[in-house]
Amino acid sequence: MRRILVAANWKMNGDLESLTALAQGFKQQIDRSKVDVAVFAPFVYLPMLQQQFAGSGIAFGGQNAHTQPKGAFTGEISLSMLKEFGSTHVLVGHSERRTLFAEDDALVAEKTALAIEAGVVPVVCIGETLEERESGVTEQVVAKQIQAVIDRIGASALAKTVIAYEPVWAIGTGKTASADQAQAVHAFIRSMVAKLDADVASALTILYGGSVKAASAAELFGQPDIDGGLVGGASLDLQEFVGICSAV
Ligand code: 13P
């Protein structure tokens, strides 16, 4: 049985006071008996999370990492630096990284491979744009994004990853994919992996992201191939995020 994972992506939001209060709220109010929780924070707040989440079982990590272990890469952060402050997970290839920071499939695959090597769980984000959905190429787009990762790490290493399907048109727009739309893509992803490794496919955690709210979470998480959510805006609101976690 796959456990539901609800992950918060705070993106570049909040400040020390508000994010500390959120972290404390997550720790105190989320019933973790049925749900795993992970928080992706701006780098500078990782030490705060390390302190707040010590012994809580709530996982956390950075929203990106560089491919090189060290060196003259001004403004970048290495996987070992993330680990030093307790990160067990890292987001890879979020659509904002792909579009605003020109990360392509090959770079995303490389970052995925390096995170696995470093013992950090990569949460690999994939998803189509509105234009792609409307032209009927959603499956091709998602398949190409995953195939790049599989070509780099092999299908069996997907066992060490989490996949997050985030349709770009649903991110931050208030337009959630319907449970049926999301389920169809999740099932497609799982069947694609199953052709290569059935055991890995059935154990693979596939999250849905894109305007997830407490009101939509139960229906989404009730789908057979949706194993939780990657939550942006609603993860900055304590009651919404707690509500999403208790929808499990
Ligand atoms: P929203 O929940 O704000 O749509 O963001 C989704 C997302 O990008 C999570 O990574």
Side-chain angles (χ1 to χ4, degrees):
M1 241 328 247
R2 298 184 299 268
R3 262 175 75 85
I4 294 285
L5 169 64
V6 179
N9 176 7
W10 285 342
K11 308 191 179 182
M12 195 175 74
N13 291 299
D15 54 26
L16 185 58
E17 194 184 338
S18 64
L19 297 179
T20 304
L22 266 181
Q24 283 168 343
F26 288 5
K27 192 169 57 176
Q28 289 158 3
Q29 296 186 30
I30 296 171
D31 171 7
R32 292 206 39 263
S33 60
K34 294 200 198 83
V35 63
D36 289 333
V37 178
V39 176
F40 295 97
F43 300 131
V44 292
Y45 301 121
L46 292 174
M48 177 277 284
L49 289 186
Q50 188 174 34
Q51 197 186 7
Q52 290 298 332
F53 290 159
S56 72
I58 298 181
F60 59 92
Q63 300 168 4
N64 181 35
H66 197 258
T67 51
Q68 295 300 316
K70 65 179 180 141
F73 301 100
T74 301
E76 292 294 321
I77 300 269
S78 71
L79 282 159
S80 65
M81 291 169 183
L82 294 181
K83 280 179 73 174
E84 197 179 356
F85 289 92
S87 294
T88 53
H89 291 61
V90 66
L91 288 184
V92 176
H94 190 279
S95 79
E96 287 147 21
R97 300 289 321 166
R98 290 178 189 259
T99 54
L100 304 173
F101 302 96
E103 295 199 6
D104 61 13
D105 285 344
L107 182 62
V108 171
E110 187 64 15
K111 288 186 176 189
T112 303
L114 293 166
I116 293 170
E117 255 171 52
V120 177
V121 178
V123 177
V124 183
C125 305
I126 58 174
E128 82 289 359
T129 63
L130 184 59
E131 198 186 355
E132 289 163 340
R133 172 160 287 264
E134 286 175 346
S135 359
V137 294
T138 297
E139 290 187 354
Q140 285 97 308
V141 170
V142 166
K144 179 172 166 284
Q145 290 170 331
I146 296 200
Q147 192 60 49
V149 173
I150 294 173
D151 288 346
R152 177 65 181 81
I153 68 173
S156 64
L158 283 177
K160 298 187 173 130
T161 71
V162 168
I163 303 294
Y165 168 59
E166 298 205 299
V168 178
W169 49 272
I171 296 178
T173 57
K175 273 196 229 162
T176 320
S178 70
D180 287 348
Q181 280 174 321
Q183 164 59 25
V185 180
H186 282 233
F188 169 76
I189 295 167
R190 202 179 302 285
S191 70
M192 180 179 164
V193 177
K195 284 181 198 141
L196 303 167
D197 192 319
D199 291 341
V200 169
S202 69
L204 185 63
T205 296
I206 309 177
L207 307 182
Y208 167 78
S211 299
V212 176
K213 299 273 185 316
S216 54
E219 198 189 358
L220 284 163
F221 300 168
Q223 302 301 312
D225 291 296
I226 300 183
D227 307 312
L230 179 55
V231 184
S235 73
L236 294 160
D237 178 320
L238 178 59
Q239 288 325 311
E240 271 293 322
F241 193 73
V242 170
I244 291 168
C245 293
S246 49
V248 170

